[in-house]
Amino acid sequence: MHVLSVSQFHNETIQTLFALATKYKKLDQTTAGRKKLHSLHTGNQLCSLFYEPSTRTRISFEQAALKLGMGVVSTENAAEFSSASKGETLEDTMRVLNGYNFDAVIVRHPETGATDRAAAVSTTPIINAGDGKGEHPTQALLDLYTIYEKHGTLEGLTVVLGGDLKHGRTVRSLVRLLARYKGNRFVFVSTSELQIGVDIKQELAHVGCTYTETEDMKQAFKNADVVYWTRLQKERLETKLTSSKEFILNKQTIAYLPKKAVIMHPLPRVSEIHTEIDSDPRAYYFKQASNGLYVRMALLHTVLSSR
Ligand code: NCD
């Protein structure tokens, strides 16, 4: 079982995964629980192959594996320190890893579709940790888990997503997931240059989900249940932006947000969320990041159990 896109998950599988993540989160709070977790996958091994920088995804996956008793082999800068720098193809690297008998390989790569290419030749399950402007399925799962934790439902929500919606893969995966639940409405806040992809808009229209696009944060924040903010993906810009307009979450702008709203961000944040709002009860991005550990533990267990 490869994990390449959010589209491969049925809603029931997601619920099972979330229940497991909650169980693991609880077990991790006690010494006896941690011992139990550690006994689950002793003898299994994870390889993490990152061709792009990462903090949360790589570290939480490796920590997830270690907590489950697995061993970890990691290349955190594969673009420079693996044979990719000598010209080896991703496919050949995967063919080599096939012979080392790992139980799962986590791959992050700057090219959209690279993880599909890796999976095509891999006999070991591949987990997509972000492929270019494509998808980031494990981030979307932890985002969805966080929304469920906060609101107790995944239906009938007004979800406002803002920032660089054109190049951000986390937004693409999350919208795809949320669109499968009844009654969710989307409000996209960005400049016209950084709007979410036409493919995602078409998918929303196809399933009958309503969405609006705006540059007016005050208007967008009315009735919001979730506010999901993102940074400008400078490394993925093809041309210089003509508009320098930024959408900043600070004390002044979040004053328009209802009390019930949860403020999320996949992180890293740069200048789009001021630290002055970190102590606001609605600011949830660091807790969201910590949920990543448990969702990834649950996902690793599921992938390993399916072999
Ligand atoms: C995101 C990514 O890599 O797409 N980071 C993450 O995994 N939490 C978001 C980003 O880099 O902006």
Side-chain angles (χ1 to χ4, degrees):
M1 176 196 172
H2 299 297
V3 176
L4 300 173
S5 161
V6 288
S7 21
Q8 73 188 77
F9 290 98
H10 297 296
N11 292 8
E12 303 79 64
T13 318
I14 291 176
Q15 280 311 324
T16 311
L17 201 72
F18 286 0
L20 200 59
T22 302
K23 184 177 156 191
Y24 288 173
K25 193 174 185 173
K26 212 167 151 206
L27 281 171
D28 195 36
Q29 308 313 312
T30 64
T31 311
R34 280 198 287 271
K35 271 196 184 141
K36 192 169 175 202
L37 287 170
H38 200 262
S39 68
L40 290 178
H41 288 289
T42 316
N44 291 127
Q45 283 99 27
L46 176 80
C47 177
S48 71
L49 195 59
F50 278 67
Y51 294 86
E52 249 193 4
S54 169
T55 300
R56 279 146 292 275
T57 308
R58 187 179 64 79
I59 294 176
S60 66
F61 253 124
E62 293 183 9
Q63 175 72 329
L66 293 170
K67 279 190 177 286
L68 291 170
M70 299 174 70
V72 175
V73 175
S74 171
T75 80
E76 60 173 322
N77 185 356
E80 198 180 336
F81 295 127
S82 78
S83 285
S85 69
K86 304 177 189 169
E88 185 168 68
T89 63
L90 178 62
E91 282 83 351
D92 273 359
T93 303
M94 298 321 304
R95 288 181 185 110
V96 171
L97 293 185
N98 283 343
Y100 297 161
N101 212 9
F102 284 102
D103 295 285
V105 182
I106 317 290
V107 182
R108 170 171 284 189
H109 201 281
E111 281 168 34
T112 308
T115 46
D116 293 334
R117 286 200 284 119
V121 293
S122 178
T123 51
T124 309
I126 298 293
I127 301 181
N128 180 358
D131 65 313
K133 292 181 269 179
E135 278 224 34
H136 196 344
T138 70
Q139 177 72 41
L141 287 170
L142 79 89
D143 292 342
L144 200 72
Y145 177 85
T146 305
I147 294 171
Y148 189 65
E149 180 180 68
K150 279 304 279 179
H151 286 296
T153 181
L154 293 171
E155 295 180 355
L157 300 169
T158 300
V159 184
V160 184
L161 301 106
D164 183 356
L165 308 180
K166 182 176 178 186
H167 306 99
R169 53 198 174 196
T170 67
V171 163
R172 294 172 55 80
S173 291
L174 180 60
V175 171
R176 276 202 169 118
L177 269 186
L178 279 168
R180 303 201 321 216
Y181 296 86
K182 260 188 278 165
N184 290 329
R185 298 162 297 276
F186 298 95
V187 183
F188 297 120
V189 179
S190 74
T191 59
S192 57
E193 289 175 290
L194 296 174
Q195 282 179 356
I196 195 147
V198 177
D199 57 338
I200 298 289
K201 291 187 215 175
Q202 280 169 348
E203 282 183 36
L204 291 179
H206 184 71
V207 295
C209 257
T210 41
Y211 69 85
T212 51
E213 296 182 283
T214 180
E215 293 195 14
D216 183 350
M217 285 170 76
K218 185 175 175 184
Q219 185 66 25
F221 285 177
K222 256 192 203 165
N223 301 319
D225 295 297
V226 177
V227 170
Y228 191 98
W229 234 234
T230 61
R231 72 179 172 96
L232 176 66
Q233 307 269 305
K234 282 195 182 122
E235 69 275 34
R236 299 190 213 289
L237 294 181
E238 301 93 11
T239 49
K240 208 169 171 285
L241 295 174
T242 54
S243 166
S244 58
K245 181 164 178 160
E246 285 183 288
F247 300 97
I248 311 269
L249 297 185
N250 54 27
K251 275 195 173 150
Q252 200 196 333
T253 53
I254 68 162
Y256 305 128
L257 267 183
K259 256 198 171 139
K260 61 172 179 177
V262 52
I263 304 172
M264 299 173 62
H265 192 301
L267 303 176
R269 67 154 157 208
V270 190
S271 51
E272 66 285 351
I273 296 188
H274 286 185
T275 53
E276 67 183 19
I277 71 156
D278 288 357
S279 54
D280 188 284
R282 292 164 294 185
Y284 215 67
Y285 23 92
F286 291 114
K287 290 195 182 106
Q288 172 190 354
S290 103
N291 281 338
L293 172 63
Y294 302 106
V295 171
R296 287 177 173 128
M297 284 172 78
L299 192 68
L300 279 177
H301 174 75
T302 308
V303 169
L304 265 55
S305 308
S306 71
R307 295 201 81 195

